[in-house]
Amino acid sequence: MKTLIHSLTGFIKGTGDALWFLGDVVLGNILCFRVRIGEVLKQIYEQGVQSVVIISLTALASGVVLALQGYAAISRFGAKEVVPLMVGLTLVRELGPVFAALVFSGKAGARITAELGTMNVNDQIVATRTMGVDPVEFLVVPRFLATVLVLPILTILAEIIGIAGGYFIGVYEAHVPGQFYLNLTFEAIRWVDFFSGFIKVFFFSFFIAWICCYQGYTTRGGSLGVGRFTTKAVAYSYITIIISNAFLTKFILTLWG
Amino acid sequence: MIELTGVSKSFNGQVILDNVNLKVAAGEILVILGESGTGKSVLLKHMIGLIRPDAGEVKIEGKNIAHHTERQLLKLRKDIGFVFQEGALYDFMNCYDNIAFPLREHTKLKEKEISDKIGKVLTLLDLKKVEAKMPAELSGGMKKRVALARAIVLDSKILFCDEPTSGLDPIRSRDISNLIRDISRQLHCTTVITSHNVRNALRVADRIILIAKGRIVFDGKGDEFRGSDKEEIQEFLV
Ligand SMILES: Nc1ncnc2c1ncn2[C@@H]1O[C@H](COP(=O)(O)OP(=O)(O)OP(=O)(O)O)[C@@H](O)[C@H]1O
Ligand SMILES: [Mg+2]
């Protein structure tokens, strides 16, 4: 009982601190235009470039697998025309956003936490304060904003590449004419499909930015601490993405069908 | 210049500072001596508002900073140089950009003027050919000197150094000690240094205080410190 109360108060305090941190980042800096554009661009470049290859690979492989399985299943019934539709819709509504977010948090998110964490244990963050500069403004806000902005772009890229993967299988394995495959895809995907997936990405990127910046900013305990907080950041991001996805999907389906 | 009255601080029920009273005059070089873990760094961090006292006042140039908000403190700290034990240089910038950082943040100098200014500071600190190096490529002594360069580049009137000589060989620590003394004389800085090395403390200090069990147990000139027969000091001198 005592440990339960203890862990519960710990959880509430942790959430409170994290909210306070978020308030400082968003209300105290971003909404007050305390944003260093140069630093943001640098972070966008680093996070984007760093994740582009791995996200593209994941997306390509997902598209290929979806198409392969689709044609395997459909061969029992005929109706090959359904496969482009299935691949496209699955990617755009679910897999694209979720896979991109998961891969991104393991790559760019982990990097953010490790960087901020290392700066923390080496006193670089406190040193920033002693020089009269707000470390949240200088070190956290650029990473936060970059994450929020980069992931949506990467997601669109992932969806295009995923569809290309499916196209590849359709044309070379199932011998569907290329133009026909593409027509089917674009007829199938409506704006509402695209946005019902794309909206989620903004939640995901916001959560990743918040979790990974916060864990890095509160890292303690030397190099061991950096390792611990980084794995924690990635684990929390994964859990948050997967669980929030379930709720978001339910919510969006109720709203739009 | 700097005045602490009745400053107390505990962490998790453990008393680190117990009603500390201390005045540092303008232009004075003060060394805080004490064994490891007695709260020297904690005391120093009170003077720049990184730690807030549980009780008491911390005055910098007459202003009590104990209840300043972080934004007020940030403004105040522009005029204070602080050198961390391990240097705390940004490891994602080269040394030039590290030293230029306070100038770029707080002045409107052009790049040319910044580069002149840095050239001067580097000569003062006898640092050669470090501009393009990353902090990770420097030796411990050089890192401390670059950190010192960054701390004085804005011509701060107050300089705090946390263990500037720890982890250095005797010759390097002597050089650093002399360097800090020269610099703070040249720039007329009020300087507070923490150390557990008595010889270097005697070399730089105008005045020495010794901390033990959260209290100041000695406060006086270097000669008085050497001549004292107090038990704590004798222990420290051996
Ligand atoms: N933020 C903190 N939270 C909890 N305890 C702390 C904190 N900062 C310092 N302490 C404790 O305060 C005591 C004094 O620490 P401090 O760093 O001031 O020692 P020091 O005299 O500078 O030692 P050293 O010579 O090794 O640098 C230590 O016991 C330390 O554990
Ligand atoms: Mg210390």
Side-chain angles (χ1 to χ4, degrees), chain B residues 11-12 14 16 34-43 51 85 162-163 196:
Chain B
F11 287 113
N12 314 318
Q14 187 195 0
I16 307 293
E35 282 172 47
S36 194
T38 43
K40 302 181 295 288
S41 302
V42 170
L43 184 58
I51 299 180
Q85 204 157 331
D162 197 1
E163 310 264 359
H196 41 226

Side-chain angles (χ1 to χ4, degrees), chain A residues 43-58:
Chain A
Q43 288 297 327
I44 287 182
Y45 175 78
E46 286 185 3
Q47 295 181 18
V49 167
Q50 199 199 25
S51 317
V52 121
V53 174
I54 185 165
I55 285 190
S56 307
L57 276 177
T58 319

Side-chain angles (χ1 to χ4, degrees), chain A residues 24 28-29 34 36 39 42 115 118-119 121-135 137-139 143, chain B residues 45 48-50 70-71 73-75 77-78 80 82 84-93 98 101-102 105-106 150:
Chain A
D24 189 13
N29 285 283
R34 290 205 178 91
R36 296 164 183 241
E39 295 292 322
K42 209 167 82 188
E115 279 180 0
T118 309
M119 288 185 211
V121 300
N122 291 339
D123 284 336
Q124 290 172 48
I125 291 189
V126 194
T128 310
R129 288 168 64 200
T130 65
M131 288 187 284
V133 175
D134 181 2
E137 178 192 326
F138 177 54
L139 299 170
R143 288 174 170 77
Chain B
K45 284 175 183 166
I48 193 170
L50 288 176
E70 180 68 14
R71 291 239 175 266
L73 286 170
L74 286 178
K75 218 176 208 170
R77 291 187 194 125
K78 289 175 194 174
I80 302 178
F82 195 106
F84 278 81
Q85 204 157 331
E86 307 294 336
L89 296 166
Y90 289 127
D91 48 19
F92 53 92
M93 293 180 183
N98 261 293
F101 182 75
E105 288 294 322
H106 299 310
R150 186 174 71 173

